Amino acid sequence: MVGTANNGRLRLAFSLVNGSQDLDLSSAPASNAGSECGGIEFTREDVEALVNEKMKYKNKFNYKERCENMMEYIKRLRLCIKWFQELEGEYAFEQEKLRNALELTERRCSEMEVALNNKEEELNLIILELRKSLASLQDKLAKEESEKKAAVDSLTKEKEARTSIERSQASLSEELEKVQGELDGANQRIASINDMYKLLQEYNSSLQLYNSKLQTDLDTAHETIKRGEKERSAIVENLHTLRGQHKSLQDQLMSSIASQDEVMKQKDALLNEVACLRMELHQTREDREHYQQQVQSLAAEVSKYKELATNSSELEEKCLSQGNQIQILHDQLAVAERKLQMSDMSIFETRNEFEGQKKLIEELQNRLEDAEFKLIEGEKLRKKLHNTILELKGNIRVFCRVRPQLPDDSSSNQAKVFSYPTSMEYLGRGIDMTQNAQKHSFTFDKVFMPDASQEEVFVEISQLVQSALDGYKVCIFAYGQTGSGKTYTMMGKPGQPDEKGLIPRSLEQIFQTKQALQPQGWRYEMQVSMLEIYNETIRDLLSTNKDASRIENGVAGKQYTIKHDANGNTQVSDLTIVDVQSSREVKYLLDRAAHSRSVGKTQMNEQSSRSHFVFTMRITGVNESTEQQVQGVLNLIDLAGSERLSKSGSTGDRLKETQAINKSLSSLADVIFALAKKEDHVPFRNSKLTYLLQPCLGGDSKTLMFVNISPEPSSAGESLCSLRFAARVNACEIGTPRRQLNMRTSESRLSYG
């Protein structure tokens, strides 16, 4: 019945404080040696055996034996009770000790935060100065590097120009020498040609004289021939006349014939001599033309050589000017080299200074990173301690999210309604609202500005979602006026993966963690249900019977009732419960529920949710290696938006829906006010919504509320009411969260608690 020390180790004690959780040796209180119980501890089996023990008697009429057995039993019960009382006292002492340690840690954290803030400001100033000096040094270095680059470019260009000029000078010198040699040869040829030209001129003049003489001789010979012909004709005429005197004149005739023959011979000789002279004259003319052509070509060569002489003088002048330019370039090159050496020295000094500044900046950046890391770690520790305090206090956590401006909003040109403090104490947690020139300040666990993404919002609640896998009851619900972004926060925008809401992201995380925990021996079973509360009537959104949830003439086709058991679990009768194995299956069920949910159009919202949507997942986990079992529940709720009839313009069915929504939200406010005042009676039964959320608002659940705010100035009144309601919710204490380690029975139903 009573377990004593065995081999120096105490048997594991069974705690009756929470009714289900065993105490391990690491969390056991200090030893109770010296008490009446000594080193005795009771296990769960001992207590159950002691409570369920039945007296056995040899003789039921032996009252003495019965009294002794009863006294012995009472003695053991008193011993057990005293042991529990001492254990409770030690736990109370340990709790007080932990509270003192927590307060001390909070003070240290606040002091550390102040010190980190001061250090961060100092480091920011130093970094600002260093950045300024770095920018100036970088500008100076860039300027010097550009000057160096320009000097190197100019030097390279000057070297290239010098090389090209030297090459051109060498080629010009060679060409000049060649031209000079050609000029000398041409001068010699010109001199020889001039001499030949003079000789040819003399020979030509002599030929001309000889030609004129031959011409005169020829003329005289022609005249002589003409005279001889005339004389012959005269002689022939005289011969006819003197034929009669033939005989007398025969001698004269013979003499005249002889003279005529001689004249004819002279004539033939003269003719031959004329032909020879003509041939010589023709040859002389051809030679003269040939020599004239040679003289013309030589004159052209002479003019060419004269031009070359003038060009050579120009080239000499050009070479002289280029030599002067080369000397100037040499001087400029020497100056540039000196400047380059000076710039290299200054660049080396600047580079050394830059390296020193760079090392200093790197050291300061490392110090800044260390400080930022310490700041982040301190912030994580602060959040962890803050969450621990909230869990110890049992407060409902509240996150505020401000919707960004939409294109259809009419307040784009008006003044901003909300502002956000920038001090370290309220950064990311405070929000200020201005209405009628009056400022209202609120502080929550987290405030998301309009530019916050869905991913940033989910990161803040991811650990809370993880608690459901650890065996806690978790409830997250979105509250706010219609059109403030509640459904977007919870469900996201369909078809856009980057804008998925909290429900899809939570499911993805749960199934990913489920896969990651399988190597550690954990196996999970998950069940899902989805319902809506429409006009104070529960509708099953996963029901395959379309007529089961239809309301005709104000009467539901199937009545669903809410029941709470003694362990704080909630059951909804006849509700469809689906076993799921992957996030894809849950997404299909979510799409199916979204098509079945009641949605309507009002003047304030094109797609207004006309019912409260409740998504519930029950998680049962078993560790095959440690045989530990956990049961967690995740409730994700999208409340219908509050609205004023004067703005929504609802009529008919929309009017009834609005009245039902406002009534249920008013009942929720009454419950919150009663919890805040710690009244004995909390009106959970005033509406189906509050009765369904009773374990979340008044039990041992981890509860978080999103208050969604519209930035429109026309909605400032509703926004202020929502913020005040959220502040009151944040101050409510609902109890300390407790892990569920109960065994899962085969007939267990889905719990909302």
Side-chain angles (χ1 to χ4, degrees):
M1 299 300 296
V2 178
T4 58
N6 186 12
N7 295 328
R9 294 171 59 188
L10 294 177
R11 295 180 63 186
L12 190 63
F14 177 71
S15 173
L16 293 181
V17 177
N18 54 15
S20 62
Q21 184 176 1
D22 290 338
L23 298 173
D24 53 11
L25 292 175
S26 61
S27 63
S31 175
N32 48 9
S35 65
E36 295 182 7
C37 299
I40 298 174
E41 291 187 356
F42 290 85
T43 65
R44 178 176 182 178
E45 292 81 4
D46 296 337
V47 176
E48 289 179 353
L50 185 61
V51 173
N52 298 324
E53 182 181 356
K54 294 182 179 180
M55 298 294 179
K56 295 181 180 179
Y57 310 103
K58 295 180 180 179
N59 187 0
K60 62 179 181 179
F61 298 104
N62 190 353
Y63 293 103
K64 184 178 180 179
E65 183 184 357
R66 292 179 65 180
C67 289
E68 289 176 356
N69 292 337
M70 185 62 68
M71 290 298 292
E72 180 66 24
Y73 182 66
I74 291 170
K75 184 178 180 181
R76 281 183 282 138
L77 283 176
R78 286 178 179 175
L79 188 63
C80 182
I81 291 169
K82 286 181 181 179
W83 181 79
F84 275 116
Q85 288 176 351
E86 291 177 0
L87 188 64
E88 185 178 3
E90 289 172 356
Y91 274 117
F93 176 75
E94 191 70 22
Q95 186 177 9
E96 185 66 26
K97 188 176 178 181
L98 288 174
R99 285 180 180 173
N100 295 332
L102 183 61
E103 291 176 358
L104 180 61
T105 307
E106 286 181 348
R107 288 197 296 271
R108 287 180 180 175
C109 286
S110 61
E111 293 174 358
M112 186 184 297
E113 188 174 357
V114 173
L116 285 174
N117 292 336
N118 297 331
K119 197 68 177 178
E120 185 181 4
E121 291 177 357
E122 293 176 2
L123 289 174
N124 288 333
L125 293 174
I126 294 172
I127 289 170
L128 184 61
E129 294 176 359
L130 288 175
R131 283 177 180 169
K132 291 181 181 178
S133 62
L134 176 62
S136 62
L137 288 173
Q138 286 178 345
D139 294 337
K140 186 176 179 182
L141 180 62
K143 186 176 180 181
E144 290 181 354
E145 285 182 351
S146 62
E147 291 177 355
K148 179 182 176 181
K149 187 176 181 181
V152 170
D153 294 338
S154 62
L155 180 62
T156 306
K157 291 179 180 179
E158 289 172 359
K159 286 182 179 179
E160 292 176 355
R162 178 182 176 184
T163 305
S164 62
I165 289 170
E166 288 177 353
R167 290 176 181 173
S168 61
Q169 185 180 8
S171 62
L172 288 173
S173 299
E174 293 176 357
E175 188 176 357
L176 181 61
E177 291 176 358
K178 185 177 180 181
V179 169
Q180 192 70 33
E182 292 178 355
L183 184 61
D184 294 336
N187 289 329
Q188 292 177 2
R189 290 177 66 186
I190 288 169
S192 61
I193 289 170
N194 287 329
D195 296 337
M196 187 180 291
Y197 183 68
K198 289 178 181 178
L199 293 174
L200 288 173
Q201 284 181 347
E202 292 176 358
Y203 182 68
N204 191 14
S205 59
S206 63
L207 285 176
Q208 286 178 357
L209 292 173
Y210 182 68
N211 191 12
S212 61
K213 184 179 179 181
L214 288 175
Q215 190 70 28
T216 54
D217 291 339
L218 183 61
D219 293 336
T220 55
H222 279 295
E223 290 176 358
T224 303
I225 289 169
K226 288 179 180 179
R227 284 196 304 271
E229 288 178 354
K230 288 179 179 180
E231 287 176 359
R232 181 183 177 183
S233 61
I235 288 171
V236 169
E237 290 176 358
N238 292 324
L239 184 57
H240 286 291
T241 57
L242 294 176
R243 186 175 286 180
Q245 298 176 359
H246 181 267
K247 290 180 178 181
S248 59
L249 295 173
Q250 190 172 4
D251 293 334
Q252 294 179 357
L253 182 59
M254 291 298 289
S255 60
S256 62
I257 291 170
S259 61
Q260 186 178 3
D261 292 332
E262 290 177 358
V263 170
M264 289 300 291
K265 290 178 180 178
Q266 290 180 357
K267 180 180 177 182
D268 294 332
L270 288 173
L271 289 172
N272 292 329
E273 188 176 0
V274 168
C276 291
L277 289 174
R278 283 181 177 175
M279 290 177 65
E280 288 180 358
L281 179 62
H282 182 69
Q283 185 67 33
T284 303
R285 285 178 179 174
E286 289 181 354
D287 291 338
R288 185 183 66 179
E289 291 177 356
H290 178 68
Y291 287 133
Q292 284 180 353
Q293 290 178 357
Q294 287 184 351
V295 168
Q296 289 177 358
S297 63
L298 290 173
E301 289 181 358
V302 168
S303 62
K304 182 179 179 181
Y305 287 130
K306 287 181 180 179
E307 289 178 358
L308 287 173
T310 55
N311 289 332
S312 65
S313 62
E314 291 178 357
L315 287 173
E316 287 179 355
E317 292 177 356
K318 187 176 181 181
C319 288
L320 184 62
S321 63
Q322 286 181 352
N324 295 331
Q325 289 181 0
I326 289 170
Q327 186 63 34
I328 293 170
L329 290 174
H330 275 298
D331 298 336
Q332 291 180 357
L333 181 62
V335 174
E337 286 178 350
R338 286 196 296 272
K339 286 183 178 180
L340 185 60
Q341 291 177 356
M342 295 295 292
S343 63
D344 287 336
M345 293 176 63
S346 62
I347 286 171
F348 181 73
E349 294 175 356
T350 306
R351 185 171 294 169
N352 291 333
E353 185 178 358
F354 175 73
E355 291 294 333
Q357 294 290 338
K358 190 175 181 180
K359 289 180 180 178
L360 181 60
I361 289 170
E362 288 178 354
E363 182 181 355
L364 290 173
Q365 285 180 347
N366 293 330
R367 289 171 61 186
L368 179 61
E369 289 177 357
D370 293 339
E372 288 178 350
F373 178 75
K374 290 179 181 178
L375 184 63
I376 292 171
E377 291 297 322
E379 182 66 18
K380 289 181 179 178
L381 180 60
R382 185 196 67 77
K383 286 184 178 180
K384 185 176 180 181
L385 292 174
H386 180 69
N387 293 335
T388 305
I389 292 170
L390 290 178
E391 289 180 2
L392 290 174
K393 290 182 178 179
N395 288 48
I396 300 176
R397 301 183 210 182
V398 175
F399 287 177
C400 176
R401 187 178 190 185
V402 181
R403 174 178 63 78
Q405 288 282 351
L406 299 178
D408 297 336
D409 291 345
S410 59
S411 57
S412 58
N413 297 325
Q414 300 183 22
K416 291 185 177 180
V417 179
F418 297 102
S419 60
Y420 309 94
T422 57
S423 61
M424 287 300 298
E425 183 179 0
Y426 298 105
L427 183 62
R429 297 177 59 241
I431 182 171
D432 298 332
M433 177 179 177
T434 304
Q435 184 188 27
N436 299 328
Q438 186 177 359
K439 184 177 180 181
H440 304 275
S441 298
F442 299 93
T443 304
F444 301 107
D445 297 287
K446 183 67 179 178
V447 174
F448 297 100
M449 290 188 286
D451 57 350
S453 64
Q454 297 280 64
E455 177 68 22
E456 294 174 2
V457 175
F458 177 71
V459 167
E460 293 293 331
I461 70 158
S462 59
Q463 293 300 319
L464 191 61
V465 174
Q466 177 67 31
S467 299
L469 282 171
D470 297 336
Y472 288 94
K473 299 175 184 177
V474 177
C475 178
I476 302 174
F477 64 94
Y479 176 89
Q481 69 183 83
T482 183
S484 59
K486 300 183 300 302
T487 304
Y488 175 77
T489 299
M490 299 304 293
M491 300 297 295
K493 188 175 290 186
Q496 298 189 13
D498 293 338
E499 298 189 29
K500 290 184 293 188
L502 301 185
I503 295 179
R505 292 178 187 271
S506 300
L507 298 175
E508 289 179 359
Q509 176 179 327
I510 286 174
F511 284 103
Q512 289 173 1
T513 309
K514 171 188 173 184
Q515 294 294 329
L517 291 177
Q518 283 185 357
Q520 302 178 16
W522 284 99
R523 298 293 181 268
Y524 288 95
E525 294 180 359
M526 300 178 184
Q527 295 176 317
V528 167
S529 75
M530 301 180 204
L531 62 85
E532 69 173 352
I533 301 176
Y534 175 78
N535 287 351
E536 284 300 304
T537 304
I538 295 177
R539 285 183 174 181
D540 185 1
L541 297 178
L542 298 182
S543 175
T544 56
N545 186 4
K546 298 296 183 180
D547 297 331
S549 299
R550 186 179 299 172
I551 298 176
E552 295 181 358
N553 299 324
V555 180
K558 181 185 288 187
Q559 296 294 327
Y560 299 93
T561 58
I562 303 171
K563 296 180 182 180
H564 303 297
D565 59 15
N567 294 326
N569 296 321
T570 302
Q571 297 176 359
V572 179
S573 63
D574 299 326
L575 189 65
T576 302
I577 300 171
V578 181
D579 293 328
V580 291
Q581 301 295 331
S582 65
S583 59
R584 184 176 299 176
E585 296 179 9
V586 183
K587 183 178 183 299
Y588 168 74
L589 296 176
L590 282 172
D591 294 339
R592 179 174 154 191
H595 286 92
S596 302
R597 189 179 179 188
S598 301
V599 178
K601 178 180 179 182
T602 65
Q603 293 180 3
M604 298 181 67
N605 192 358
E606 186 73 21
Q607 291 287 330
S608 177
S609 301
R610 312 308 295 167
S611 64
H612 307 300
F613 172 74
V614 181
F615 171 90
T616 302
M617 172 180 281
R618 181 173 181 176
I619 304 168
T620 302
V622 178
N623 194 314
E624 297 176 351
S625 59
T626 62
E627 296 184 356
Q628 186 181 8
Q629 296 182 351
V630 294
Q631 288 183 346
V633 179
L634 178 63
N635 292 320
L636 301 172
I637 303 169
D638 178 19
L639 298 178
S642 62
E643 59 186 46
R644 295 185 179 181
L645 294 176
S646 58
K647 288 188 175 182
S648 64
S650 300
T651 57
D653 292 338
R654 296 289 174 266
L655 177 60
K656 294 180 181 179
E657 294 168 354
T658 302
Q659 291 172 347
I661 292 169
N662 291 339
K663 180 182 177 183
S664 61
L665 295 178
S666 178
S667 299
L668 178 62
D670 294 338
V671 168
I672 295 298
F673 293 157
L675 291 172
K677 294 179 181 179
K678 297 182 179 180
E679 295 180 356
D680 296 335
H681 173 68
V682 180
F684 286 112
R685 292 180 175 271
N686 285 2
S687 71
K688 293 285 181 67
L689 175 65
T690 55
Y691 192 50
L692 186 66
L693 297 180
Q694 181 176 351
C696 303
L697 299 176
D700 52 3
S701 172
K702 289 186 177 182
T703 305
L704 183 143
M705 183 183 85
F706 271 94
V707 55
N708 293 82
I709 303 300
S710 173
E712 293 185 75
S714 59
S715 302
E718 289 82 354
S719 298
L720 183 59
C721 292
S722 298
L723 290 172
R724 286 174 175 170
F725 176 72
R728 186 158 298 201
V729 170
N730 203 192
C732 288
E733 298 179 4
I734 60 175
T736 305
R738 180 171 56 87
R739 292 183 73 185
Q740 298 292 322
L741 297 173
N742 295 331
M743 299 290 291
R744 178 176 178 265
T745 62
S746 59
E747 296 180 354
S748 61
R749 281 203 163 270
L750 187 64
S751 169
Y752 288 84

